[in-house]
């Protein structure tokens, strides 16, 4: 009888764990949807969307203005370079990066990049989206 109880508890906990994992995935997708809907509501249109190595990049345009939005799990220096290159090539006025974790090199690079925002004519905004 005790073994049957242990098995049912173990199954119940594993199902609960799987439900929590799926709920977390839905929350992250909801954040992306919320951000995309906010830009569309403000009159921005998706010009280009790209997925590279698990990172999602969206280029929004409204007239001649453009904004680059990136959803990145691990924001390292290589992803920083990719965001900057994509934003500068498309003459974006700002880049918004939604990340889960960031390396110290990327944090220093963003700080230095934003200090020289007048030179680049672009500002980078970082938003932590949770783990």
């Amino acid at each position: 009888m005790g073994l049957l109880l242990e098995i049912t508890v173990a199954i119940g906990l594993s199902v609960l764990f799987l439900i929590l994992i799926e709920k977390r995935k839905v929350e992250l997708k909801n954040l992306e949807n919320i951000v995309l809907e906010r830009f569309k509501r403000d009159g921005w249109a998706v010009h280009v969307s790209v997925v590279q190595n698990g990172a999602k990049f969206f280029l929004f345009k409204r007239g001649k203005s453009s904004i680059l939005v990136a959803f990145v799990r691990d924001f390292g220096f290589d992803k920083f370079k990719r965001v900057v290159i994509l934003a500068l090539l498309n003459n974006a006025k700002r880049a918004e990066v939604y990340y889960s974790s960031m390396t110290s090199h990327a944090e220093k690079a963003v700080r230095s990049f934003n200090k020289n925002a007048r030179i680049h004519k672009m500002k980078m905004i970082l938003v932590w989206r949770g783990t």
Side-chain angles (χ1 to χ4, degrees):
M1 189 70 168
L3 181 63
L4 182 62
L5 180 65
E6 289 179 13
I7 291 173
T8 55
V9 169
I11 291 172
L13 288 176
S14 62
V15 168
L16 180 64
F17 185 69
L18 291 174
I19 290 171
L20 290 174
I21 289 173
E22 288 299 317
K23 184 179 177 185
R24 181 65 187 151
K25 286 180 183 176
V26 168
E27 287 176 2
L28 291 178
K29 287 181 183 176
N30 283 343
L31 175 70
E32 293 177 13
N33 290 337
I34 289 169
V35 170
L36 296 178
E37 287 174 8
R38 181 189 61 165
F39 279 110
K40 288 179 183 176
R41 193 174 346 115
D42 292 342
W44 295 92
V46 177
H47 187 67
V48 177
S49 63
V50 179
V51 177
Q52 291 180 340
N53 298 331
K56 295 180 183 178
F57 301 97
F58 295 93
L59 183 69
F60 289 94
K61 288 207 171 222
R62 182 172 64 185
K64 290 188 176 184
S65 304
S66 59
I67 297 175
L68 181 78
V69 178
F71 296 97
V72 182
R73 185 169 301 277
D74 301 315
F75 189 57
F77 190 72
D78 57 334
K79 301 262 174 79
F80 166 77
K81 290 189 295 187
R82 197 169 290 149
V83 167
V84 169
I85 290 170
L86 286 173
L88 290 176
L89 286 176
N90 291 299
N91 295 327
K93 298 294 179 196
R94 75 175 192 246
E96 291 187 10
V97 179
Y98 295 85
Y99 68 95
S100 293
S101 63
M102 182 189 326
T103 62
S104 60
H105 287 91
E107 188 175 354
K108 290 176 186 174
V110 169
R111 211 176 309 127
S112 173
F113 186 81
N114 283 336
K115 283 181 183 176
N116 299 322
R118 289 178 305 169
I119 296 170
H120 307 300
K121 296 180 181 166
M122 185 180 81
K123 184 144 179 96
M124 187 174 293
I125 300 168
L126 297 176
V127 181
W128 183 67
R129 70 176 191 182
T131 55

